[in-house]
């Protein structure tokens, strides 16, 4: 495998592959809590699909959540507090706020799908903790500042541990059950949790865009 | 369901839900070719999971690819050629170029996983067609301009039709088969195609970021 190929498509692909490789390379440092199980280590993080001890589709979902999270870790590793606080323009969210937003989203989907709470009926204490990162925007721009990367990663890990624990108690029948009253139309739990997963990629795209524009950043395609 | 709730978390959620709803609302206009099957119509686009006539995990993957694509459609609908060409700064990719990049990515993963071609060993004709959008960056900034939204959507639909046709010929055993020589480590076809799917969300996050900054754009959280 030559990494110095001059073919444009190859160069491009390697750049993309390297981005993801960086994410996966970060895994050993974080493996105990973020992957949340030894399963990924045994099977391999890039082997998506059923996981032993879980219903087939629940295990597949977990493999995707793990994989996606590692990609996000790859985008933010080694960022300083100043970089995590950086605001690109008056509309921008900081990378730190977006990381906390991912944790908030996952926490609210836990409360909704695991605890059966109707959206936004959580306790005032929970709202106080999570509404600012959930909303992003002006309040988050001033309130979410000054934290190190570890603060954000630890928060994400803590929330993820609950997700894995709760998914482990459930089966594919639960995952396929349809909520007919969901905002955007009849939706099963699989779709809600897939949204939690792809939503990390959505913000990862924005995180990479901002990383490429941090003061002193090198040229990037994002 | 009150859409005028003043609760911050609720407001935030509704804004997010509306974004996705917009994506799904676009579906009827595009349904014949982009969803690629009547299955989504019968089962419902937000019911992720197996699809009749497909292996369970293949059907699940298709349900995710369909769902994600509709979200992207929601982000770009009604954009003018000038908006699709808009370059936010000297590093930015246009929304049009990113849409074509999604089609290029899917095409190359087809050639790799369905036709068994090693990455970047495609014909010169294929490279000529797809390398510029695949690479993005400077060449794409000048070469990919002046197209209407239909041009991009039709290209995406054409490529997607092949994906669905080829996935329909395959089973879960194929999807789970591991490529030990893949760039970022041993990887199964499920992971490669999940990457194609989440990669749309990655760029959708960037597309929404730019949409929020188009000349005359309203305030947005993205």
């Amino acid at each position: 495998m030559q990494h110095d190929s001059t073919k444009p498509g190859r160069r491009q692909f390697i750049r993309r592959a390297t981005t993801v490789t960086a994410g996966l390379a970060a895994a050993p440092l974080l493996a105990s809590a973020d992957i949340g199980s030894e399963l990924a280590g045994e099977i391999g993080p890039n082997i998506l699909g059923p996981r032993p001890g879980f219903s087939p589709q629940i295990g597949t979902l977990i493999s995707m959540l793990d994989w996606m999270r590692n990609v996000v870790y790859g985008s933010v590793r080694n960022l300083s507090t100043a970089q995590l606080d950086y605001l690109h323009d008056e509309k921008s969210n900081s990378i730190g706020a977006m990381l906390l937003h991912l944790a908030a989203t996952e926490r609210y989907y836990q409360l909704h799908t695991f605890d059966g709470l109707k959206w936004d009926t959580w306790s005032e204490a929970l709202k106080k903790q999570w509404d600012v990162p959930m909303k992003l925007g002006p309040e988050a721009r001033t309130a979410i500042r000054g934290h190190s990367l570890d603060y954000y990663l630890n928060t994400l890990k803590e929330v993820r541990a609950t997700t894995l624990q709760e998914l482990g108690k459930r089966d594919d029948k639960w995952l396929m059950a349809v909520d007919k009253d969901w905002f955007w139309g009849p939706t099963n739990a699989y779709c809600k949790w897939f949204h939690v997963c792809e939503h990390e990629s959505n913000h990862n795209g924005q995180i990479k865009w901002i990383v490429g524009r941090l003061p002193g950043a090198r040229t990037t395609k994002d």
Side-chain angles (χ1 to χ4, degrees), chain A:
Chain A
M1 187 165 61
Q2 294 182 340
H3 276 226
D4 58 350
S5 163
T6 55
K7 293 175 185 166
R10 178 74 164 220
R11 276 209 316 275
Q12 171 58 20
F13 179 75
I14 288 169
R15 198 152 56 220
R16 292 180 51 235
T18 305
T19 302
V20 178
T21 304
L24 300 173
L29 298 169
L30 303 158
S32 59
D34 61 337
I35 292 185
S37 69
E38 297 78 42
L39 293 172
E42 286 170 16
I43 297 176
N46 308 309
I47 314 299
L48 299 196
R51 292 288 184 261
F54 293 92
S55 288
Q57 296 285 5
I58 293 263
T60 300
L61 169 65
I62 289 172
S63 73
M64 292 171 178
L65 288 166
D66 281 349
W67 192 87
M68 198 68 250
R69 179 60 59 85
N70 270 335
V71 173
V72 174
Y73 287 152
S75 299
V76 299
R77 65 179 183 158
N78 298 327
L79 292 184
S80 68
T81 298
Q83 291 172 320
L84 291 162
D85 287 350
Y86 173 74
L87 293 169
H88 187 68
D89 61 24
E90 76 282 1
K91 285 185 179 180
S92 273
N93 299 300
S94 71
I95 294 172
M98 284 194 275
L99 290 174
L100 214 54
H101 173 69
L102 298 184
T105 303
E106 184 163 343
R107 187 74 192 98
Y108 281 174
Y109 272 87
Q110 287 173 356
L111 293 165
H112 169 63
T113 66
F114 299 144
D115 299 339
L117 294 177
K118 204 169 148 74
W119 197 268
D120 202 32
T121 62
W122 1 103
S123 69
E124 287 305 316
L126 283 164
K127 289 184 185 183
K128 191 173 174 185
Q129 184 178 5
W130 295 112
D131 265 2
V132 170
M134 190 67 197
K135 286 196 299 172
L136 291 173
E139 205 171 335
R141 269 190 281 278
T142 54
I144 304 170
R145 299 184 67 79
H147 302 293
S148 70
L149 181 60
D150 275 352
Y151 167 80
Y152 298 109
L153 297 188
N154 287 335
T155 305
L156 283 163
K157 285 179 218 170
E158 280 171 23
V159 174
R160 176 56 52 89
T162 300
T163 300
L164 297 175
Q165 190 175 30
E166 293 298 321
L167 285 176
K169 297 176 190 171
R170 289 166 170 81
D171 61 14
D172 287 1
K173 193 178 165 190
W174 173 86
L175 195 65
M176 294 303 297
V178 176
D179 174 0
K180 293 185 178 175
D181 302 319
W182 188 242
F183 297 95
W184 61 53
T187 299
N188 62 3
Y190 208 160
C191 187
K192 290 176 184 174
W193 278 98
F194 173 75
H195 170 54
V196 172
C197 186
E198 64 79 19
H199 173 253
E200 301 212 352
S201 185
N202 173 91
H203 284 290
N204 188 52
Q206 297 174 346
I207 287 169
K208 289 189 297 174
W209 199 96
I210 292 170
V211 165
R213 286 155 179 84
L214 289 170
R218 289 179 304 173
T219 301
T220 168
K221 82 178 180 77
D222 300 302

